[in-house]
Amino acid sequence: MVTLLRKIVCSNIVLSNLWFYMVRKRKGLDIHFFQENTNAYVDGYPRSGNTFLIHLIKELLPEVNTVHHLHTVAPIKMAFSRKLPVFIIIRHPMECISSKYLMHFATRGQEVSTSIDDKLLD
């Protein structure tokens, strides 16, 4: 049930906007959302190289103002409705999953176990 509700919210522009302003933005995260001067939307599955690409864009094209790291379908729809260029990063799923799995331990200062945590992977 929760997965279905999340899927509906993440793919609906209005519900996604409500969630962004009521929940995600209040968590104190410095997340840029669509503004008048937004030039492009860049995103991909988590651990696909999103941060690397954003830093590369900022270094090479500092005048480009991007929205990024939202990891849902609704912002893609918003960008298309604003006629913005949309760049989706594609990385092999096994590499994303293994990177996210290792990042879970790294962000918590934990050693990676020699046995695989199947529950965490699910």
Side-chain angles (χ1 to χ4, degrees):
M1 180 66 170
V2 172
T3 304
L4 177 61
L5 184 59
R6 178 179 164 86
K7 190 174 186 176
I8 291 169
V9 170
C10 291
S11 64
N12 182 287
I13 292 174
V14 173
L15 295 175
S16 185
N17 276 335
L18 285 171
W19 173 77
F20 180 82
Y21 284 107
M22 293 176 65
V23 178
R24 191 164 181 180
K25 195 169 183 176
R26 290 186 179 203
K27 287 184 176 181
L29 302 172
D30 184 25
I31 301 168
H32 301 284
F33 206 58
F34 293 94
Q35 300 170 4
E36 292 286 324
N37 63 344
T38 300
N39 303 92
Y41 180 69
V42 178
D43 213 341
Y45 188 79
R47 311 300 307 154
S48 293
N50 297 282
T51 302
F52 175 83
L53 182 58
I54 292 305
H55 286 288
L56 183 63
I57 291 170
K58 286 180 181 176
E59 186 68 29
L60 298 176
L61 305 164
E63 69 281 359
V64 175
N65 182 14
T66 62
V67 172
H68 51 87
H69 280 91
L70 297 177
H71 307 305
T72 62
V73 174
I76 298 169
K77 294 177 181 179
M78 288 180 227
F80 281 137
S81 71
R82 293 168 180 256
K83 299 189 180 357
L84 296 173
V86 174
F87 300 93
I88 303 299
I89 304 163
I90 299 172
R91 183 178 182 191
H92 193 283
M94 290 301 285
E95 293 173 5
C96 295
I97 293 168
S98 60
S99 177
K100 191 165 183 165
Y101 182 81
L102 294 173
M103 183 63 115
H104 171 85
F105 295 101
T107 57
R108 289 164 178 76
Q110 300 173 344
E111 291 286 325
V112 179
S113 174
T114 55
S115 61
I116 295 174
D117 186 339
D118 291 330
K119 187 176 179 182
L120 178 59
L121 284 174
D122 283 342

